[in-house]
Amino acid sequence: MFELDVRSRKPIYEQLVERLKELIITEVLTADEQLPSVRTLAHQLTINPNTIQKAYRELESQGYIYSIKGKGSFISPATPNLNSEKIEKVKNELSKLLSEAIYLGITKDELFKMIQELEAAIGGGVEDDQNP
Amino acid sequence: MFELDVRSRKPIYEQLVERLKELIITEVLTADEQLPSVRTLAHQLTINPNTIQKAYRELESQGYIYSIKGKGSFISPATPNLNSEKIEKVKNELSKLLSEAIYLGITKDELFKMIQELEAAIGGGVEDDQNP
Amino acid sequence: MFELDVRSRKPIYEQLVERLKELIITEVLTADEQLPSVRTLAHQLTINPNTIQKAYRELESQGYIYSIKGKGSFISPATPNLNSEKIEKVKNELSKLLSEAIYLGITKDELFKMIQELEAAIGGGVEDDQNP
Amino acid sequence: MFELDVRSRKPIYEQLVERLKELIITEVLTADEQLPSVRTLAHQLTINPNTIQKAYRELESQGYIYSIKGKGSFISPATPNLNSEKIEKVKNELSKLLSEAIYLGITKDELFKMIQELEAAIGGGVEDDQNP
DNA sequence: GTGGTCTAGACCACG
DNA sequence: GTGGTCTAGACCACG
C-alpha cells in the first residue's frame, strides 16, 4: 500500500504525504476513517515514528487529515470550502507543468483525455453541471 | 529577465532552471542561441557561479540545452529526442497534480480552458495534426 | 447545550471548560445553580466521566464553580473573589492577543465595537460606575 | 531576550513562538533582519536544535518569518495581505478572552486604554485614517 | 555555515 | 494506546 523509496532524493515524509493524498483523493480512504497509528505505521514501514508524525502533521496542515491526541489520526471530510490560496498555488504549478507537457509534444487531445479519465476515477469533487 | 526570489523556499538553482525552461518553451530563447556564460550570468545576478553551473548542468541533463567545451552553452532544438522516459515522468506528475486540482474543485472546463490558453501562448511545439 | 467537537485539536475537557465558562459569563447558568452530576453529564455526552471531572476541577480552581462533597457542583456567584492574580493573567493574555490583532490590521474601532457588543450581551458583571 | 520556563506546561517551542511574535510585532525585530541560526540559538538557550527549528517552522507557516536553506532565517515584511482565515481565528479568541475580562470586572474603559497604549507602542500596522 | 531530514529513544497528556 | 514534545546526534543540500 505504501511503497517508499528510501534512496530517493524525495524525503520519505514527502513520499508519504503524496501517497496518502492520492489514497484520499481517489477515495480509497474515506471521511473519518482512522489511519494507522504513528507507531504502527512506523513499525510496518520500518521507519522512525517521528518521520510518520511529520507526514501526518503536514497532511493535517494541508487539511487532508485531522489528529486527536489520545485517539488517533483520521481522514478529513472532502472540503468544498475553497481554500483560494491553495487553489491558486495548484493552478500555478499546473500552468508550468502543462506548458512543459505541451512543449514535449503531448497533444491537447491527450491532455483532455487524461483529465476525463482522472475525473471519472475520482468521481469529481464538485459537479460541473446541476443535473447529474 | 531573470527575476530570482531570494526569499523563496525554492533553491536558487531550481528557480533558474524553471525560468530558463520557461524562456525556452515560450521561444524567447530559440534553438542554438547562446546562453550567457556562467561567469557573466553569475556576475549579472550577483550569484555564486557554482549555482549557475548547477542550473546549466540540470538543464543539459534534461535536454533543454547543450554545452560545447570552450565555446559555451546553447539552446537545444525543440523536442530534442522525444525522450519517452521524460514524457512518462511529466505525465506522471501531471496525473497527480490534475487529480489534486479536481479534488480541490477546479472544474474540467477550467482545466480545458487553461490548456487552450497555454497552447495558444506557446504556439504548440509539436502540431496536433498529422499533416504539417 | 454542549456542542463538543471531537475532531478539534482542543482536548474535550478544555472545550467543556470553555463552554461552561461561556454559559456562566452570559448568565445562562446563574449563581448557586446546580450543575449536572459528573456521571449524568458523562452519560449525556457519551464521554468518559474522568473527562467531565477534570473539567469541573479546572473550573473550580479558576473560581467559576464550587463543589460540596455528597451534594454536587454549583455555579459560584459573580466575581468570586476579585482574584487579582487571575485578573493579571487575563490582562496579560489580552495584551498579547490584542497586539497580534492590531498587527494583523484589525482597527481600533473594530476592537472598540467588539467590546461594546460583548458588554451589552453580557450585561456587564460589574458596573463601570462607582455608584451601583 | 528569551526567557524560557522549562517547567511550564506550555511547550518550549510555543513559548519561543510567542516571544518571537512579540518581538516582531513590537518591531524590535524588523523586516529582513536575520534571526540567530538554529544552532546558535539552541546553544545560547541550551535547548535542542530540533526544538528551535520547530519554533521557526511554526513562525514560518504563520507568515512571521521565512527560512532559506543554507542562508538562515529572516523576519518577514509586515503583511497587510489580509489572511482572512487567520483574522477570523484571532477575532474568535479575542471574543472569548474579552468576555472573560469583562466578567472578571475589568471595565470597558480599562480595555479601551489598553488598546490605545498597545496601538501607540506598535505604531499601528494599518492606519485607521487616510491623512496621517 | 546554514536549514532540512532522519533515527533512536524517553517521557507526558488525554481518555 | 494514542498523538505530542523533547533530547542527542548523524548526515545531506545549498551556496
Side-chain angles (χ1 to χ4, degrees), chain B residues 81-105:
Chain B
N81 49 1
L82 286 166
N83 188 332
S84 64
E85 200 186 322
K86 186 157 176 46
I87 286 178
E88 272 323 297
K89 206 182 139 211
V90 167
K91 276 190 184 170
N92 202 352
E93 285 179 61
L94 256 182
S95 176
K96 278 185 212 156
L97 204 52
L98 283 170
S99 297
E100 189 166 5
I102 294 168
Y103 184 74
L104 289 173

Side-chain angles (χ1 to χ4, degrees), chain A residues 11-14 39 47-48 50-51 54 69-70:
Chain A
I12 295 172
Y13 88 93
E14 275 186 28
R39 283 165 176 75
I47 274 177
N48 191 287
N50 287 332
T51 305
K54 191 166 187 175
K69 215 189 327 190

Side-chain angles (χ1 to χ4, degrees), chain D residues 28-54:
Chain D
V28 173
L29 299 174
T30 55
D32 296 316
E33 190 172 341
Q34 185 161 9
L35 288 162
S37 83
V38 169
R39 283 164 176 75
T40 304
L41 192 53
H43 187 255
Q44 268 177 30
L45 303 177
T46 53
I47 273 177
N48 190 287
N50 288 332
T51 305
I52 308 287
Q53 202 185 27
K54 191 166 189 177

Side-chain angles (χ1 to χ4, degrees), chain A:
Chain A
M1 197 151 185
F2 299 98
E3 294 157 15
L4 298 178
D5 178 5
V6 288
R7 287 180 216 143
S8 165
R9 285 182 57 87
K10 194 165 290 185
I12 295 172
Y13 88 93
E14 275 186 28
Q15 293 181 47
L16 257 171
V17 166
E18 270 199 3
R19 182 68 185 122
L20 278 164
K21 263 196 203 176
E22 211 177 305
L23 294 172
I24 294 168
I25 288 172
T26 55
E27 293 180 340
V28 173
L29 298 174
T30 55
D32 295 316
E33 190 172 340
Q34 185 162 8
L35 288 162
S37 84
V38 169
R39 283 165 176 75
T40 304
L41 193 52
H43 188 255
Q44 267 178 30
L45 303 177
T46 53
I47 274 177
N48 191 287
N50 287 332
T51 305
I52 307 287
Q53 202 185 28
K54 191 166 187 175
Y56 278 14
R57 251 187 127 85
E58 178 64 23
L59 284 165
E60 189 171 10
S61 92
Q62 285 189 37
Y64 285 92
I65 72 171
Y66 59 94
S67 296
I68 305 176
K69 215 189 327 190
K71 301 270 292 190
S73 298
F74 306 84
I75 308 297
S76 293
T79 51
N81 67 326
L82 17 143
N83 186 335
S84 61
E85 202 186 321
K86 194 164 171 50
I87 286 178
E88 270 324 295
K89 209 182 137 207
V90 167
K91 276 189 183 171
N92 203 353
E93 285 179 60
L94 256 182
S95 176
K96 279 184 211 155
L97 204 51
L98 283 170
S99 296
E100 188 166 5
I102 293 168
Y103 181 75
L104 290 173
I106 300 177
T107 62
K108 220 168 48 184
D109 289 349
E110 279 181 276
L111 294 173
F112 284 177
K113 213 168 126 196
M114 211 168 160
I115 293 168
Q116 295 281 19
E117 287 171 1
L118 287 171
E119 207 199 26
I122 297 174
V126 166
E127 303 301 326
D128 255 29
D129 215 336
Q130 237 72 325
N131 13 343

Side-chain angles (χ1 to χ4, degrees), chain C residues 40-65:
Chain C
T40 304
L41 193 53
H43 189 255
Q44 265 178 33
L45 304 177
T46 54
I47 272 178
N48 192 310
N50 292 333
T51 308
I52 309 286
Q53 202 161 36
K54 184 158 191 180
Y56 279 13
R57 220 177 300 138
E58 177 66 19
L59 284 164
E60 192 174 1
S61 90
Q62 286 189 34
Y64 284 91
I65 69 173

Side-chain angles (χ1 to χ4, degrees), chain B residues 16-80:
Chain B
L16 257 172
V17 167
E18 271 198 4
R19 185 68 185 124
L20 278 163
K21 266 195 202 177
E22 208 179 307
L23 293 171
I24 294 167
I25 288 171
T26 55
E27 296 179 338
V28 174
L29 298 174
T30 54
D32 299 316
E33 190 173 341
Q34 183 164 12
L35 286 164
S37 81
V38 168
R39 282 181 191 175
T40 305
L41 193 53
H43 189 253
Q44 266 179 31
L45 304 177
T46 54
I47 272 178
N48 192 311
N50 293 333
T51 307
I52 309 286
Q53 203 161 35
K54 183 158 192 180
Y56 278 14
R57 220 178 300 140
E58 177 66 19
L59 284 164
E60 192 173 2
S61 88
Q62 287 189 35
Y64 284 91
I65 71 173
Y66 60 93
S67 297
I68 303 177
K69 241 188 296 188
K71 300 274 280 187
S73 300
F74 304 85
I75 308 297
S76 297
T79 55

